[in-house]
Amino acid sequence: MKIVIPGGSGALGTLLDRALTAAGHRVVVLSRRPDGPRQIGWDGRNLGPWAAEVDGSDVVVNLAGRSVNCRYTEENRRAMMDSRVQSTRAVGQAIAAARRPPGVWLQMSTATVYAHRHDAPNDEQTGAIGAEEPDAPASWRYSVDIAQAWEDAQAQADTPHTRRLALRTAVVLGPERGGVLDALSWLARLGVGGSIAGGAQYVSWIHERDFVRAVEFLIGRDELAGAVNLAAPDPLPQREFMRHLRAAWGMPLALPAARWMAEIGAFALRSESELLLKSRRVVPFRLLDAGFTFEHPHWPQAARDLVRRLRGR
């Protein structure tokens, strides 16, 4: 198959490109700064010569969007929103204009669309969309607004001959240096990777291998469309998540952090405390119902696998 990955030069795109190419597919990456033989330039906003790659392709996997690991200034909020909505609209326009449109369009989304909650998991059928929770800061509303606008841009595209999926993705964990797992591992190894603000907030996650496998699975399941949660079936409280990560590193103890400490730490790192404090209790009902089997469904085993691989880097 020919697979086009807009915004595919980042960590997730590189992961998918490597796996799908190894599986024998022809992969083309759309990038604002192309620097490889299979990378094509685009601006992420407007139709251009890049649209010829979409015409006649089999699959489009749009990953474009500015990183949310930043301070939520007005400028950064606008960039996060615009980079997602504009790139999704551009992909939709390219598919609509294609003489031979792709059979399926997988559009990146986020599990952050769901409510901050501890009482019950959020699945695609009964999950609560966020922003109205009484115990969530008003500043978290914008993340939900971005997620909804992102999905709306895909839903509004005029692509009747292309199946569409919105991938509500939890944090994807892999052993790459500089990634999320690497950062959390440094905290664990330094003895400061304890509970944050009590640690009751849920962490939803997915092993990088299962992320790739889920994408491949969804490409091949013609009956599936709409929103799909890409998350391991066993989310767990932050204090348990870090306890198992510390165990994988052989570090039994760690200092806890109060909420105010998390706020200061996030500010110092030019990030937002929402990434640490929001309870993301998300489960993959539609994947499981369709017969997908996770290789890494539980965090203790996944943590051991990823730490072993990270040690070898």
Side-chain angles (χ1 to χ4, degrees):
M1 291 189 295
K2 179 181 179 181
I3 301 174
V4 180
I5 308 180
S9 56
L12 279 187
T14 300
L15 172 67
L16 274 181
D17 182 4
R18 183 170 59 243
L20 294 172
T21 299
H25 302 297
R26 178 189 171 199
V27 178
V28 176
V29 170
L30 304 184
S31 173
R32 289 180 173 86
R33 292 178 292 275
D35 63 359
R38 292 181 291 102
Q39 295 193 3
I40 304 295
W42 80 323
D43 65 3
R45 296 191 303 272
N46 304 297
L47 283 178
W50 60 267
E53 299 294 339
V54 173
D55 195 346
S57 67
D58 300 287
V59 180
V60 172
V61 185
N62 184 21
L63 305 177
R66 188 204 191 283
S67 171
V68 299
N69 187 18
C70 61
R71 295 299 295 173
Y72 290 177
T73 63
E74 186 61 34
E75 179 181 359
N76 285 341
R77 286 182 175 185
R78 184 169 57 251
M80 288 188 291
M81 177 73 82
D82 290 349
S83 64
R84 285 161 174 74
V85 172
Q86 291 176 356
S87 61
T88 303
R89 287 175 178 166
V91 169
Q93 291 167 359
I95 293 174
R99 291 175 298 173
R100 292 180 297 158
V104 58
W105 169 14
L106 286 77
Q107 172 60 49
M108 194 65 167
S109 183
T110 173
T112 299
V113 72
Y114 291 112
H116 165 77
R117 66 190 302 186
H118 304 81
D119 60 329
N122 287 308
D123 63 30
E124 301 92 336
Q125 295 182 321
T126 64
I129 300 301
E132 302 299 333
E133 311 93 304
D135 58 341
S139 61
W140 293 4
R141 172 63 192 250
Y142 198 74
S143 296
V144 177
D145 290 344
I146 290 174
Q148 291 182 302
W150 205 2
E151 293 187 8
D152 288 346
Q154 185 193 34
Q156 293 164 5
D158 183 18
T159 58
H161 304 295
T162 299
R163 179 168 57 96
R164 293 174 288 192
L165 293 133
L167 309 180
R168 292 179 174 173
T169 308
V171 60
V172 180
L173 296 176
E176 73 277 2
R177 292 295 181 183
V180 173
L181 181 74
D182 191 24
L184 293 175
S185 292
W186 274 109
L187 295 177
R189 295 165 71 186
L190 291 171
V192 293
S195 64
I196 298 176
Q201 66 274 28
Y202 276 78
V203 177
S204 286
W205 58 278
I206 186 169
H207 189 289
E208 65 167 19
R209 174 60 184 155
D210 282 327
F211 173 79
V212 171
R213 293 179 59 249
V215 168
E216 294 174 322
F217 180 84
L218 292 169
I219 288 171
R221 297 304 293 257
D222 292 340
E223 75 277 14
L224 290 176
V228 178
N229 293 344
L230 267 59
D234 189 22
L236 67 172
Q238 184 268 341
R239 56 177 173 260
E240 296 298 317
F241 180 89
M242 290 304 298
R243 181 172 67 84
H244 290 299
L245 181 58
R246 294 196 309 272
W249 282 106
M251 175 61 72
L253 301 175
L255 296 173
R259 186 185 185 101
W260 65 267
M261 297 169 70
E263 298 283 0
I264 292 174
F267 182 83
L269 294 172
R270 302 185 62 80
S271 186
E272 284 289 333
S273 62
E274 178 187 5
L275 303 177
L276 301 172
L277 299 175
K278 182 171 181 178
S279 185
R280 296 171 173 84
R281 192 175 181 183
V282 179
V283 293
F285 173 82
R286 297 194 70 197
L287 274 178
L288 294 174
D289 186 60
F292 182 76
T293 302
F294 284 82
E295 287 185 358
H296 302 278
H298 304 298
W299 177 236
Q301 175 264 341
R304 290 192 296 270
D305 173 75
L306 290 169
V307 165
R308 175 184 57 79
R309 293 167 59 200
L310 185 55
R311 285 179 186 273
R313 291 296 173 97

Short mmCIF file of all heavy atoms in Angstrom, two decimals, residues 168-212:
data_model
loop_
_atom_site.label_atom_id
_atom_site.label_comp_id
_atom_site.label_asym_id
_atom_site.label_seq_id
_atom_site.Cartn_x
_atom_site.Cartn_y
_atom_site.Cartn_z
N ARG A 168 -8.13 8.92 19.19
CA ARG A 168 -8.03 9.58 20.50
C ARG A 168 -6.93 8.87 21.30
O ARG A 168 -7.16 7.91 22.02
CB ARG A 168 -9.38 9.51 21.23
CG ARG A 168 -10.44 10.37 20.55
CD ARG A 168 -11.79 10.29 21.25
NE ARG A 168 -12.75 11.22 20.66
CZ ARG A 168 -14.03 11.28 20.96
NH1 ARG A 168 -14.54 10.43 21.86
NH2 ARG A 168 -14.82 12.16 20.39
N THR A 169 -5.73 9.41 21.14
CA THR A 169 -4.53 8.70 21.56
C THR A 169 -4.03 9.16 22.93
O THR A 169 -3.92 10.35 23.19
CB THR A 169 -3.42 8.92 20.50
OG1 THR A 169 -3.94 8.58 19.21
CG2 THR A 169 -2.21 8.06 20.80
N ALA A 170 -3.74 8.18 23.78
CA ALA A 170 -3.09 8.45 25.06
C ALA A 170 -1.59 8.65 24.80
O ALA A 170 -1.12 8.55 23.66
CB ALA A 170 -3.33 7.29 26.01
N VAL A 171 -0.83 8.95 25.84
CA VAL A 171 0.60 9.16 25.67
C VAL A 171 1.24 7.86 25.15
O VAL A 171 1.01 6.78 25.69
CB VAL A 171 1.26 9.63 26.98
CG1 VAL A 171 1.09 8.61 28.10
CG2 VAL A 171 2.73 9.93 26.76
N VAL A 172 1.98 7.99 24.06
CA VAL A 172 2.65 6.84 23.46
C VAL A 172 4.05 6.74 24.06
O VAL A 172 4.84 7.68 23.98
CB VAL A 172 2.72 6.98 21.93
CG1 VAL A 172 3.42 5.77 21.31
CG2 VAL A 172 1.33 7.17 21.33
N LEU A 173 4.36 5.59 24.65
CA LEU A 173 5.62 5.43 25.37
C LEU A 173 6.56 4.52 24.60
O LEU A 173 6.22 3.39 24.25
CB LEU A 173 5.36 4.86 26.76
CG LEU A 173 4.55 5.78 27.68
CD1 LEU A 173 4.27 5.09 29.01
CD2 LEU A 173 5.27 7.10 27.91
N GLY A 174 7.75 5.04 24.33
CA GLY A 174 8.79 4.28 23.66
C GLY A 174 10.13 4.59 24.30
O GLY A 174 10.24 5.47 25.16
N PRO A 175 11.18 3.87 23.92
CA PRO A 175 12.48 3.99 24.59
C PRO A 175 13.40 5.04 23.99
O PRO A 175 14.60 5.05 24.28
CB PRO A 175 13.07 2.59 24.41
CG PRO A 175 12.54 2.17 23.07
CD PRO A 175 11.16 2.75 22.97
N GLU A 176 12.88 5.97 23.17
CA GLU A 176 13.76 6.94 22.54
C GLU A 176 14.31 7.94 23.55
O GLU A 176 13.64 8.31 24.51
CB GLU A 176 13.02 7.68 21.41
CG GLU A 176 11.98 8.70 21.86
CD GLU A 176 10.64 8.07 22.18
OE1 GLU A 176 10.52 6.84 22.09
OE2 GLU A 176 9.72 8.83 22.53
N ARG A 177 15.53 8.36 23.34
CA ARG A 177 16.14 9.38 24.19
C ARG A 177 15.43 10.72 23.99
O ARG A 177 15.14 11.11 22.86
CB ARG A 177 17.62 9.53 23.86
CG ARG A 177 18.47 8.33 24.24
CD ARG A 177 18.49 8.13 25.75
NE ARG A 177 19.33 6.98 26.14
CZ ARG A 177 19.47 6.57 27.38
NH1 ARG A 177 18.81 7.18 28.35
NH2 ARG A 177 20.24 5.53 27.65
N GLY A 178 15.15 11.39 25.09
CA GLY A 178 14.47 12.67 25.02
C GLY A 178 12.97 12.57 24.99
O GLY A 178 12.29 13.61 24.96
N GLY A 179 12.42 11.36 25.00
CA GLY A 179 10.98 11.19 24.96
C GLY A 179 10.36 11.25 26.34
O GLY A 179 11.03 11.46 27.36
N VAL A 180 9.05 11.01 26.40
CA VAL A 180 8.32 11.08 27.67
C VAL A 180 8.85 10.05 28.66
O VAL A 180 9.10 10.36 29.84
CB VAL A 180 6.81 10.88 27.43
CG1 VAL A 180 6.07 10.79 28.75
CG2 VAL A 180 6.25 12.00 26.58
N LEU A 181 9.03 8.82 28.21
CA LEU A 181 9.51 7.78 29.12
C LEU A 181 10.90 8.11 29.65
O LEU A 181 11.20 7.88 30.83
CB LEU A 181 9.52 6.42 28.42
CG LEU A 181 9.99 5.27 29.31
CD1 LEU A 181 8.91 4.90 30.32
CD2 LEU A 181 10.36 4.05 28.48
N ASP A 182 11.76 8.65 28.80
CA ASP A 182 13.11 9.01 29.22
C ASP A 182 13.05 10.07 30.32
O ASP A 182 13.76 9.98 31.33
CB ASP A 182 13.88 9.53 28.01
CG ASP A 182 15.37 9.68 28.28
OD1 ASP A 182 15.88 8.99 29.20
OD2 ASP A 182 16.02 10.49 27.61
N ALA A 183 12.18 11.07 30.15
CA ALA A 183 12.05 12.13 31.15
C ALA A 183 11.53 11.57 32.47
O ALA A 183 12.05 11.90 33.55
CB ALA A 183 11.13 13.23 30.63
N LEU A 184 10.50 10.73 32.41
CA LEU A 184 9.96 10.14 33.63
C LEU A 184 10.98 9.21 34.29
O LEU A 184 11.04 9.13 35.52
CB LEU A 184 8.68 9.36 33.31
CG LEU A 184 7.48 10.19 32.84
CD1 LEU A 184 6.33 9.27 32.44
CD2 LEU A 184 7.03 11.16 33.94
N SER A 185 11.78 8.54 33.49
CA SER A 185 12.78 7.63 34.03
C SER A 185 13.86 8.39 34.79
O SER A 185 14.36 7.90 35.83
CB SER A 185 13.42 6.81 32.90
OG SER A 185 12.47 5.90 32.36
N TRP A 186 14.24 9.56 34.31
CA TRP A 186 15.23 10.36 35.05
C TRP A 186 14.69 10.72 36.42
O TRP A 186 15.42 10.66 37.42
CB TRP A 186 15.59 11.61 34.26
CG TRP A 186 16.69 11.37 33.26
CD1 TRP A 186 16.60 11.33 31.91
CD2 TRP A 186 18.06 11.11 33.57
NE1 TRP A 186 17.83 11.05 31.34
CE2 TRP A 186 18.75 10.92 32.35
CE3 TRP A 186 18.79 11.02 34.76
CZ2 TRP A 186 20.11 10.65 32.28
CZ3 TRP A 186 20.16 10.75 34.70
CH2 TRP A 186 20.79 10.57 33.46
N LEU A 187 13.42 11.09 36.50
CA LEU A 187 12.82 11.40 37.80
C LEU A 187 12.85 10.18 38.72
O LEU A 187 13.19 10.27 39.90
CB LEU A 187 11.39 11.88 37.62
CG LEU A 187 11.18 13.20 36.86
CD1 LEU A 187 9.70 13.49 36.69
CD2 LEU A 187 11.88 14.36 37.59
N ALA A 188 12.47 9.04 38.14
CA ALA A 188 12.44 7.81 38.93
C ALA A 188 13.83 7.45 39.45
O ALA A 188 14.01 7.08 40.62
CB ALA A 188 11.88 6.66 38.09
N ARG A 189 14.83 7.58 38.62
CA ARG A 189 16.19 7.19 38.99
C ARG A 189 16.82 8.16 39.99
O ARG A 189 17.70 7.79 40.77
CB ARG A 189 17.05 7.08 37.74
CG ARG A 189 16.59 5.97 36.80
CD ARG A 189 17.20 6.10 35.42
NE ARG A 189 18.62 5.79 35.41
CZ ARG A 189 19.40 5.94 34.35
NH1 ARG A 189 18.89 6.41 33.22
NH2 ARG A 189 20.68 5.64 34.42
N LEU A 190 16.35 9.42 39.96
CA LEU A 190 16.87 10.42 40.90
C LEU A 190 16.16 10.40 42.24
O LEU A 190 16.50 11.15 43.15
CB LEU A 190 16.76 11.81 40.28
CG LEU A 190 17.68 12.10 39.08
CD1 LEU A 190 17.31 13.43 38.44
CD2 LEU A 190 19.14 12.11 39.53
N GLY A 191 15.12 9.53 42.36
CA GLY A 191 14.41 9.44 43.62
C GLY A 191 13.37 10.51 43.83
O GLY A 191 12.90 10.70 44.96
N VAL A 192 12.98 11.20 42.78
CA VAL A 192 11.95 12.24 42.91
C VAL A 192 10.71 11.88 42.08
O VAL A 192 9.83 12.72 41.89
CB VAL A 192 12.48 13.62 42.49
CG1 VAL A 192 13.53 14.09 43.47
CG2 VAL A 192 13.04 13.59 41.07
N GLY A 193 10.62 10.67 41.62
CA GLY A 193 9.49 10.24 40.79
C GLY A 193 8.40 9.61 41.63
O GLY A 193 7.96 8.49 41.36
N GLY A 194 7.93 10.33 42.65
CA GLY A 194 6.88 9.82 43.51
C GLY A 194 5.51 10.31 43.08
O GLY A 194 5.31 10.78 41.95
N SER A 195 4.57 10.23 43.99
CA SER A 195 3.21 10.69 43.69
C SER A 195 3.18 12.21 43.56
O SER A 195 3.94 12.92 44.22
CB SER A 195 2.24 10.23 44.78
OG SER A 195 2.59 10.84 46.02
N ILE A 196 2.30 12.69 42.70
CA ILE A 196 2.11 14.12 42.49
C ILE A 196 0.71 14.48 42.93
O ILE A 196 -0.26 13.89 42.45
CB ILE A 196 2.33 14.50 41.01
CG1 ILE A 196 3.76 14.17 40.59
CG2 ILE A 196 2.02 15.97 40.78
CD1 ILE A 196 4.03 14.42 39.11
N ALA A 197 0.62 15.42 43.87
CA ALA A 197 -0.69 15.86 44.39
C ALA A 197 -1.53 14.68 44.87
O ALA A 197 -2.73 14.63 44.65
CB ALA A 197 -1.43 16.66 43.33
N GLY A 198 -0.89 13.74 45.52
CA GLY A 198 -1.57 12.55 46.02
C GLY A 198 -1.53 11.37 45.09
O GLY A 198 -1.67 10.22 45.52
N GLY A 199 -1.36 11.61 43.78
CA GLY A 199 -1.17 10.52 42.82
C GLY A 199 -2.41 9.74 42.45
O GLY A 199 -2.32 8.66 41.86
N ALA A 200 -3.60 10.27 42.76
CA ALA A 200 -4.83 9.54 42.44
C ALA A 200 -5.26 9.72 40.98
O ALA A 200 -6.09 8.96 40.48
CB ALA A 200 -5.97 9.97 43.36
N GLN A 201 -4.72 10.74 40.31
CA GLN A 201 -5.10 10.98 38.93
C GLN A 201 -4.61 9.84 38.03
O GLN A 201 -3.50 9.36 38.18
CB GLN A 201 -4.54 12.33 38.44
CG GLN A 201 -3.03 12.44 38.34
CD GLN A 201 -2.37 12.86 39.65
OE1 GLN A 201 -2.90 12.60 40.73
NE2 GLN A 201 -1.23 13.52 39.57
N TYR A 202 -5.49 9.41 37.11
CA TYR A 202 -5.18 8.26 36.27
C TYR A 202 -4.27 8.65 35.11
O TYR A 202 -4.38 9.73 34.55
CB TYR A 202 -6.46 7.62 35.73
CG TYR A 202 -7.09 6.65 36.69
CD1 TYR A 202 -7.83 7.10 37.78
CD2 TYR A 202 -6.91 5.27 36.55
CE1 TYR A 202 -8.40 6.21 38.68
CE2 TYR A 202 -7.47 4.37 37.44
CZ TYR A 202 -8.21 4.85 38.50
OH TYR A 202 -8.75 3.96 39.40
N VAL A 203 -3.39 7.72 34.78
CA VAL A 203 -2.51 7.85 33.63
C VAL A 203 -2.96 6.85 32.57
O VAL A 203 -2.98 5.64 32.82
CB VAL A 203 -1.04 7.59 34.01
CG1 VAL A 203 -0.15 7.67 32.76
CG2 VAL A 203 -0.57 8.57 35.08
N SER A 204 -3.33 7.36 31.41
CA SER A 204 -3.61 6.49 30.27
C SER A 204 -2.41 6.51 29.35
O SER A 204 -1.81 7.56 29.11
CB SER A 204 -4.87 6.96 29.53
OG SER A 204 -6.02 6.63 30.27
N TRP A 205 -2.05 5.39 28.80
CA TRP A 205 -0.80 5.22 28.08
C TRP A 205 -0.98 4.12 27.04
O TRP A 205 -1.95 3.36 27.08
CB TRP A 205 0.32 4.81 29.06
CG TRP A 205 -0.02 3.55 29.79
CD1 TRP A 205 -0.81 3.42 30.90
CD2 TRP A 205 0.34 2.21 29.41
NE1 TRP A 205 -0.95 2.09 31.24
CE2 TRP A 205 -0.26 1.32 30.35
CE3 TRP A 205 1.12 1.68 28.38
CZ2 TRP A 205 -0.10 -0.06 30.28
CZ3 TRP A 205 1.27 0.29 28.30
CH2 TRP A 205 0.67 -0.56 29.25
N ILE A 206 -0.04 4.04 26.11
CA ILE A 206 -0.01 2.93 25.17
C ILE A 206 1.44 2.69 24.77
O ILE A 206 2.21 3.63 24.54
CB ILE A 206 -0.90 3.18 23.94
CG1 ILE A 206 -0.96 1.94 23.04
CG2 ILE A 206 -0.46 4.40 23.15
CD1 ILE A 206 -2.02 2.01 21.95
N HIS A 207 1.83 1.44 24.78
CA HIS A 207 3.18 1.04 24.35
C HIS A 207 3.32 1.34 22.86
O HIS A 207 2.39 1.16 22.08
CB HIS A 207 3.35 -0.45 24.62
CG HIS A 207 4.74 -0.97 24.45
ND1 HIS A 207 5.34 -1.11 23.21
CD2 HIS A 207 5.65 -1.44 25.36
CE1 HIS A 207 6.54 -1.62 23.37
NE2 HIS A 207 6.77 -1.83 24.67
N GLU A 208 4.49 1.80 22.46
CA GLU A 208 4.69 2.20 21.06
C GLU A 208 4.40 1.06 20.09
O GLU A 208 3.88 1.29 18.99
CB GLU A 208 6.12 2.71 20.83
CG GLU A 208 7.21 1.69 21.04
CD GLU A 208 8.56 2.17 20.50
OE1 GLU A 208 8.73 3.38 20.31
OE2 GLU A 208 9.44 1.31 20.26
N ARG A 209 4.70 -0.16 20.50
CA ARG A 209 4.43 -1.30 19.62
C ARG A 209 2.94 -1.47 19.40
O ARG A 209 2.48 -1.75 18.29
CB ARG A 209 5.06 -2.56 20.22
CG ARG A 209 4.72 -3.84 19.47
CD ARG A 209 5.19 -3.83 18.04
NE ARG A 209 4.77 -5.04 17.34
CZ ARG A 209 4.60 -5.13 16.03
NH1 ARG A 209 4.81 -4.06 15.28
NH2 ARG A 209 4.22 -6.25 15.48
N ASP A 210 2.15 -1.32 20.45
CA ASP A 210 0.70 -1.45 20.32
C ASP A 210 0.10 -0.27 19.55
O ASP A 210 -0.92 -0.43 18.88
CB ASP A 210 0.05 -1.58 21.69
CG ASP A 210 0.21 -2.98 22.27
OD1 ASP A 210 0.23 -3.94 21.48
OD2 ASP A 210 0.31 -3.11 23.50
N PHE A 211 0.71 0.90 19.65
CA PHE A 211 0.24 2.03 18.84
C PHE A 211 0.36 1.69 17.35
O PHE A 211 -0.59 1.88 16.58
CB PHE A 211 1.05 3.29 19.16
CG PHE A 211 0.75 4.45 18.26
CD1 PHE A 211 -0.39 5.22 18.45
CD2 PHE A 211 1.60 4.77 17.21
CE1 PHE A 211 -0.68 6.28 17.60
CE2 PHE A 211 1.32 5.83 16.36
CZ PHE A 211 0.18 6.59 16.56
N VAL A 212 1.51 1.20 16.95
CA VAL A 212 1.72 0.83 15.54
C VAL A 212 0.76 -0.28 15.14
O VAL A 212 0.12 -0.22 14.08
CB VAL A 212 3.19 0.40 15.31
CG1 VAL A 212 3.34 -0.20 13.91
CG2 VAL A 212 4.13 1.57 15.49
#
